[in-house]
Amino acid sequence: MIMFELDQRIAEQLSTISLNSSVQVRCGNSNAFMVTASTMLPLMQMFEMGGVYITASRGAVEIIQAFESIGVDVSNIQFIDLVSSGILGGTDVEYSNIHFVDSPIMLESVLLRTLYILRTTSSARNFVFIDSVNALAIYNEDRMLAEYLHTFINTFRQREVLSIILNVPDQTPPLVLSNLDLYCTDLVDRGQVVIH
Amino acid sequence: MRGGIPYGSTVLASGTCGSGKTTLAMEFLVRGALAGEACAHFTATEPSVKLLENIRQYAFFDMNMVDTGLINVFDMDVLYSWLGLDKSTFDLDDVHALIKSITDIVNTIGVTRLVIDSVTTLCYKIKSEQLIRDFLFTLGKKLATLGCTTILISEITSATENAHWSSFGVEEAIADGIVVMGDVERMGHLLRFLQVVKMRGTSHSRAKHAIELTPLGVMLTPMLKWGSQTDSANWGA
Amino acid sequence: MKKKITFDKEDEEFFGQVGSFGVPKFDGEMNGGIPRGFTMVAFTETGSGAELFAKQYVSPAEESENTLYISTNEGQPEIVRVFKKYGWPLDINVRTIGEEYNSNVLERELLASRYRLEGFRLEDIQRLAQTRFVDENNQDYLTEVTNEIMALGPYFRAAIDSLDFFLQRDDPNRVVAMIRMLQAHTQMYRGLLLISVSVNGLSPSIRQELASIADMVLTFGVRTVGSDFETSMIVSKFRNAPENLKMLVFRVTPEEGITPETVERIA
Ligand SMILES: Nc1ncnc2c1ncn2[C@@H]1O[C@H](COP(=O)(O)OP(=O)(O)OP(=O)(O)O)[C@@H](O)[C@H]1O
Ligand SMILES: [Mg+2]
């Protein structure tokens, strides 16, 4: 069923970290979904966590369907979709676990919505997953995004919610990247894609 | 700031339309009711039936609070009619009758949290500025002596022009605290914000906070400094 | 919308083509009485005896339960006193709108001044907190009255004394529209309807419209003749019977009420 090898070493690395960690997950354009799946699967299945998946890269429906295509049920994960509101009819979806924020520039709303969702979910241990910093960087000014990531990471660290921040480093402005390196407690680096 | 309004003080909640004033005020009452406090909400902007309908969506609200008399929602129109205030302009006598009836209500049922939504609509009926001043001042003083914490809601047309936080310029003078609510525009999108301008007797953040109205109530987070372009534009002007 | 009404043979015989004015001499002057189905508009002056005429007009009360007297100026006791005095039937339907209105307003004002003086009691506050709407202060008497008349059966007899109450509180065009509806209803049901309206302050256009709707137009006037008052009724419109247009001078006597004296043809 699974069309590609999952990266088992990510799961191994994740099993060593605590809930108040913030993990920067670097990937490239071609392996983004493989890295995403390799990160999400252990969280959901091994560690039985709930969580919020924030997507700024593509519509949540696409991501849910990508997971479904590799046989993974993500109906327990809540999605915050920042791109579909900008598309006519984009919010007309049949998944009840998708929430929409009008635009990827409404960063504060994203934070508050995430907090709200976490307060209403039942799972004891949760993660927040940002997909991705480079996508957010398209819409947001560097200084604002850097400031935001700082607030974001601290907010969830305080609440013992694991933050996972996906990032394609060569598409992220240096200021944001250096801040991210500074605030994150852990790094999963799959940014250099080795082509066999 | 939350849970941080000193007892017995009068707070002016000023905001543009749809900024969440009513929601904030309702949450203030419900939180009080949850702690067993008697609350009163005087609504002049929307009929109480609609208000009660709208706040049903909030997880923190329970219709029982109304049924058991912890939360008392009064329609200003009904109050006016009961007091024979059917005319469009109130005189001194009418204003005193109004103050008396509000304090009567507070006194009789021991209200400790009160909301007037909004003083703007109420004061429209009082034509003279002096009378408005008298009204708000006397009311504020009486409510304070009764130990009642009050939120006066004020409608303003713009939350960015810092000159006025109230429509008559009088409300802000008598208030112990001022909370401003409005929208910040960021690249064509509106973000709701809340800002505590003053709050006597507390140390509080004066920063703009982004807010989200959720079924769990008003949620706030500091607004990103680099994100409020309308304001930086105003500073230059 | 058009409804076909079938009338009882017996009823047709009993009620006949005309109904009495309540004043036999008027009947005699005008081919036996008021043609069934007629709406009469009476323009009145103060002191012209029109109020008494309206009562006397309902007094024949062929069927008391199908007879309705609507007064906007007098209360029940005054009306009863007059009916008793002349020995007219007391079992007709009477609606005293002015009285209802005043007691509503008065009650409200009394309550308001009590609240303002004494403040709210706990039970007042509880009731206030449960009152979601302002009491309809402006009860729609016009619609009520219209419905009440429309609910009467064939060969009804009704009087509205007077229209002034409605013209003062409602949009006059709405009042006229209602009268038009009542006229059609009266015609269809072969009823008799008298509507009085005071000429003081009546706008010429409304007067014109009412006169054109009416099947019969009466004008009650009073003037001084020497040291005496002379009251008169002028019939200035009588559908299909112009020969009935005339002026009738009358007196009010304790025995018979309205008592005609002389008649002058005006056409
Ligand atoms: N849970 C919610 N999620 C999103 N929007 C909400 C929610 N609850 C309320 N709103 C929206 O918030 C807006 C403002 O609500 P509210 O009535 O509190 O504002 P207000 O400042 O009192 O407005 P007004 O000036 O009209 O009295 C409304 O347009 C409503 O649709
Ligand atoms: Mg409101």
Side-chain angles (χ1 to χ4, degrees):
Chain A
M1 187 79 160
I2 297 179
M3 311 298 288
F4 49 81
E5 275 303 298
L6 283 180
D7 188 335
Q8 295 300 333
R9 282 169 308 143
I10 297 183
E12 283 162 29
Q13 194 179 342
L14 289 175
S15 64
T16 66
I17 60 175
S18 62
L19 275 180
N20 54 14
S21 308
S22 19
V23 187
Q24 180 186 179
V25 177
R26 290 188 175 175
C27 64
N29 274 332
S30 56
N31 67 348
F33 186 63
M34 187 278 286
V35 173
T36 302
S38 303
T39 312
M40 290 275 288
L41 249 64
L43 295 179
M44 292 188 300
Q45 295 173 355
M46 284 170 57
F47 311 133
E48 293 176 343
M49 294 174 80
V52 178
Y53 190 115
I54 299 161
T55 169
S57 61
R58 48 195 176 139
V61 172
E62 241 184 286
I63 292 167
I64 292 174
Q65 284 167 353
F67 275 107
E68 281 171 353
S69 77
I70 59 164
V72 178
D73 173 26
V74 286
S75 57
N76 276 332
I77 304 300
Q78 303 296 314
F79 287 81
I80 299 183
D81 181 328
L82 311 187
V83 286
S84 301
S85 296
I87 302 160
L88 211 60
T91 57
D92 201 4
V93 300
E94 49 204 65
Y95 295 96
S96 61
N97 57 334
I98 304 182
H99 311 258
F100 297 96
V101 167
D102 283 353
S103 152
I105 60 155
M106 299 176 80
L107 295 172
E108 294 93 334
S109 295
V110 176
L111 176 65
L112 292 171
R113 196 68 70 88
T114 310
L115 286 169
Y116 168 67
I117 293 170
L118 288 174
R119 276 174 64 176
T120 52
T121 54
S122 53
S123 40
R125 297 180 311 154
N126 293 289
F127 62 82
V128 287
F129 191 109
I130 297 186
D131 171 7
S132 57
V133 172
N134 47 289
L136 287 176
I138 300 172
Y139 303 94
N140 294 290
E141 204 249 340
D142 300 0
R143 284 176 304 183
M144 183 168 80
L145 184 55
E147 182 191 358
Y148 179 63
L149 291 170
H150 186 198
T151 312
F152 190 92
I153 288 167
N154 281 323
T155 303
F156 292 106
R157 180 176 301 156
Q158 261 176 27
R159 287 173 168 73
E160 305 242 307
V161 173
L162 174 67
S163 36
I164 311 274
I165 297 165
L166 194 68
N167 184 26
V168 180
D170 54 5
Q171 291 168 19
T172 301
L175 174 77
V176 178
L177 197 58
S178 61
N179 274 279
L180 205 52
D181 287 343
L182 190 64
Y183 310 136
C184 285
T185 55
D186 297 83
L187 175 69
V188 172
D189 196 351
R190 297 294 180 275
Q192 277 79 48
V193 189
V194 186
I195 300 162
H196 298 287
Chain B
M1 191 290 281
R2 273 221 270 143
I5 304 176
Y7 284 110
S9 54
T10 301
V11 173
L12 186 70
S14 300
T16 52
C17 74
S19 56
K21 306 179 293 289
T22 304
T23 311
L24 180 82
M26 236 27 239
E27 193 182 345
F28 159 76
L29 296 185
V30 173
R31 302 263 176 238
L34 283 173
E37 292 186 46
C39 306
H41 184 107
F42 290 86
T43 175
T45 47
E46 54 186 321
S48 57
V49 181
K50 260 172 94 188
L51 183 83
L52 290 169
E53 198 52 51
N54 289 342
I55 60 167
R56 247 172 235 269
Q57 59 160 311
Y58 294 100
F60 54 80
F61 177 74
D62 183 352
M63 202 56 198
N64 250 334
M65 295 172 166
V66 175
D67 297 339
T68 57
L70 268 183
I71 292 185
N72 300 277
V73 180
F74 300 96
D75 256 299
M76 278 312 246
D77 282 344
V78 175
L79 179 62
Y80 293 157
S81 130
W82 279 34
L83 294 174
L85 302 174
D86 302 316
K87 45 202 161 174
S88 59
T89 310
F90 294 167
D91 58 27
L92 186 69
D93 265 2
D94 301 335
V95 167
H96 280 289
L98 211 51
I99 295 176
K100 180 168 160 46
S101 57
I102 293 174
T103 45
D104 260 2
I105 289 171
V106 170
N107 229 339
T108 311
I109 49 181
V111 171
T112 47
R113 292 190 184 211
L114 177 107
V115 171
I116 297 181
D117 186 358
S118 68
V119 280
T120 314
T121 26
L122 202 165
C123 289
Y124 267 129
K125 297 204 164 215
I126 309 173
K127 290 291 174 322
S128 114
E129 193 172 304
Q130 184 54 42
L131 209 51
I132 292 176
R133 198 181 293 272
D134 278 1
F135 168 69
L136 291 171
F137 193 72
T138 317
L139 185 66
K141 216 171 54 187
K142 288 216 163 142
L143 292 174
T145 24
L146 291 171
C148 181
T149 315
T150 308
I151 293 189
L152 302 177
I153 293 181
S154 163
E155 289 154 33
I156 50 180
T157 48
S158 156
T160 46
E161 109 192 34
N162 282 358
H164 279 293
W165 290 303
S166 56
S167 16
F168 298 96
V170 177
E171 303 98 298
E172 52 192 79
I174 66 135
D176 302 307
I178 298 175
V179 172
V180 180
M181 301 174 81
D183 294 307
V184 169
E185 194 185 323
R186 183 184 295 162
M187 300 173 70
H189 286 273
L190 295 178
L191 280 121
R192 288 205 170 95
F193 79 84
L194 179 153
Q195 187 172 26
V196 181
V197 175
K198 76 169 183 185
M199 191 67 70
R200 281 179 198 143
T202 62
S203 62
H204 61 87
S205 155
R206 297 188 83 235
K208 269 201 174 117
H209 282 69
I211 61 168
E212 185 87 354
L213 305 176
T214 75
L216 290 176
V218 179
M219 298 182 65
L220 8 162
T221 183
M223 183 151 279
L224 297 169
K225 270 196 277 311
W226 302 106
S228 358
Q229 280 150 355
T230 27
D231 270 14
S232 23
N234 273 0
W235 292 338
Chain C
M1 205 20 223
K2 209 159 188 129
K3 215 167 22 170
K4 196 92 196 114
I5 320 271
T6 47
F7 295 94
D8 237 61
K9 261 256 134 358
E10 269 177 44
D11 278 356
E12 282 188 343
E13 274 170 28
F14 174 73
F15 288 99
Q17 294 296 310
V18 294
S20 173
F21 276 96
V23 185
K25 282 187 180 162
F26 283 1
D27 296 342
E29 281 298 327
M30 280 174 280
N31 291 328
I34 317 156
R36 298 271 176 202
F38 260 38
T39 295
M40 296 176 284
V41 170
F43 296 110
T44 66
E45 262 175 45
T46 321
S48 61
E51 267 187 13
L52 185 62
F53 173 74
K55 293 187 190 74
Q56 193 158 346
Y57 148 82
V58 293
S59 70
E62 295 94 332
E63 277 182 319
S64 50
E65 72 281 3
N66 209 17
T67 303
L68 174 64
Y69 179 66
I70 296 166
S71 168
T72 60
N73 295 323
E74 294 173 296
Q76 297 271 0
E78 297 160 80
I79 295 168
V80 168
R81 196 177 46 77
V82 177
F83 272 67
K84 273 192 177 152
K85 176 175 167 191
Y86 290 105
W88 296 332
L90 291 167
D91 56 351
I92 61 160
N93 300 304
V94 175
R95 176 101 194 250
T96 49
I97 296 219
E99 199 175 44
E100 289 174 32
Y101 178 83
N102 286 336
S103 75
N104 276 354
V105 169
L106 214 66
E107 197 180 343
R108 216 180 294 272
E109 281 175 359
L110 270 172
L111 213 54
S113 66
R114 200 204 89 199
Y115 290 144
R116 290 173 77 137
L117 279 170
E118 299 170 19
F120 289 123
R121 301 188 204 124
L122 181 61
E123 61 266 27
D124 299 326
I125 295 170
Q126 282 163 343
R127 213 155 46 81
L128 182 66
Q130 276 152 20
T131 309
R132 301 271 167 252
F133 300 100
V134 175
D135 270 4
E136 269 313 311
N137 198 356
N138 33 13
Q139 196 179 347
D140 189 358
Y141 290 108
L142 182 60
T143 304
E144 276 181 30
V145 159
T146 308
N147 290 340
E148 219 162 325
I149 294 176
M150 305 274 281
L152 295 171
Y155 295 110
F156 68 85
R157 181 184 279 265
I160 302 176
D161 182 26
S162 72
L163 207 57
D164 302 3
F165 177 89
F166 304 102
L167 287 170
Q168 283 155 13
R169 284 166 187 82
D170 276 290
D171 172 10
N173 292 313
R174 203 177 145 237
V175 177
V176 169
M178 291 292 197
I179 299 301
R180 195 166 272 131
M181 221 159 81
L182 288 176
Q183 189 270 340
H185 176 80
T186 306
Q187 192 168 29
M188 199 168 11
Y189 278 73
R190 297 186 192 166
L192 297 175
L193 176 62
L194 171 69
I195 298 161
S196 75
V197 53
S198 132
V199 288
N200 299 329
L202 181 65
S203 94
S205 65
I206 297 295
R207 179 175 185 155
Q208 177 54 43
E209 286 213 60
L210 290 174
S212 77
I213 296 168
D215 301 294
M216 195 191 300
V217 175
L218 312 173
T219 307
F220 285 83
V222 60
R223 57 179 187 147
T224 42
V225 178
S227 62
D228 251 355
F229 289 106
E230 184 189 87
T231 39
S232 64
M233 179 179 93
I234 299 170
V235 184
S236 61
K237 175 178 177 181
F238 199 120
R239 200 183 295 282
N240 303 326
E243 69 277 13
N244 288 339
L245 305 189
K246 59 193 70 170
M247 180 167 123
L248 298 145
V249 176
F250 60 84
R251 278 182 307 117
V252 178
T253 64
E255 298 79 28
E256 293 173 76
I258 305 269
T259 317
E261 292 195 317
T262 56
V263 177
E264 287 168 35
R265 304 261 159 222
I266 58 167

